Amino acid sequence: MVKLKFLNRSVNSQGGFTFIEMLLVLTITMLISLIGITLGKSHMDRQLEDRFIKQLKADIELTQALSFRYQDYATLTIVQGLNEVRIKVPAHGNKDYLVRKYPTNIQLLPYSTIQSVTYTKELTVQKSGTMYFSINNRIVKLTVYLGEGRVQIEQ
């Protein structure tokens, strides 16, 4: 019988990571993952907030377009307790034309001068004013001017 010395040597001289080395590698990997997840979440939250602001402005423009289409009043209302944006056009019927949910971390502040935007048959805003939103410790100001639907957003 022939002994294979090289097999014997390789089995006895096997090296590997120690338990401490494995814990160190796992700890570093977890820290890097945690930093990435935290940065990614804050970036996603910021995108969600920016999307809400752009969508709200688009909804206001839709309200004006509906006023023109139906030749009637059209109203966009922020429903605070339900976290909804609602558009209603009386000529369209008794039901809401559009209901859109928005994230719960976005709040309409109580010192806002308006909670709704109404366009008349002549495509002008019935009442001008300002809506203030609190979005993750940021204040966003949406101002609606009299005239043909001029809306300005300041962050």
Side-chain angles (χ1 to χ4, degrees):
M1 181 165 164
V2 178
K3 286 191 173 184
L4 300 174
K5 293 182 179 180
F6 67 91
L7 275 178
N8 218 3
R9 247 184 301 189
S10 68
V11 170
N12 290 338
S13 64
Q14 273 186 343
F17 293 113
T18 64
F19 184 67
I20 301 286
E21 290 170 333
M22 288 297 285
L23 283 177
L24 183 63
V25 169
L26 287 173
T27 303
I28 291 170
T29 305
M30 285 174 39
L31 286 174
I32 291 171
S33 298
L34 182 65
I35 291 169
I37 290 170
T38 304
L39 291 176
K41 184 177 178 343
S42 66
H43 181 68
M44 285 178 55
D45 287 346
R46 179 69 181 217
Q47 283 184 335
L48 186 66
E49 296 159 6
D50 291 342
R51 191 174 329 133
F52 165 75
I53 294 166
K54 288 177 185 174
Q55 187 62 56
L56 182 60
K57 188 169 182 180
D59 287 344
I60 290 172
E61 291 168 355
L62 173 64
T63 305
Q64 184 181 22
L66 289 170
S67 171
F68 176 74
R69 178 175 178 221
Y70 289 105
Q71 291 296 305
D72 197 2
Y73 288 89
T75 303
L76 176 139
T77 305
I78 306 292
V79 183
Q80 183 68 7
L82 300 174
N83 287 6
E84 291 179 344
V85 174
R86 294 179 180 222
I87 297 177
K88 190 169 189 95
V89 183
H92 183 259
N94 288 333
K95 60 182 183 174
D96 293 323
Y97 186 87
L98 173 91
V99 177
R100 188 184 317 278
K101 291 276 191 187
Y102 62 88
T104 56
N105 63 333
I106 299 172
Q107 298 296 320
L108 180 67
L109 296 175
Y111 51 86
S112 298
T113 58
I114 56 173
Q115 286 189 335
S116 63
V117 179
T118 301
Y119 284 94
T120 64
K121 298 175 187 179
E122 293 80 29
L123 303 179
T124 59
V125 175
Q126 188 175 24
K127 179 183 174 188
S128 66
T130 304
M131 292 182 193
Y132 292 94
F133 293 94
S134 170
I135 305 175
N136 286 341
N137 300 323
R138 231 177 14 136
I139 303 295
V140 175
K141 176 182 172 184
L142 184 138
T143 306
V144 179
Y145 298 100
L146 288 177
E148 293 187 12
R150 296 177 303 165
V151 177
Q152 180 180 0
I153 297 176
E154 298 174 22
Q155 298 184 25

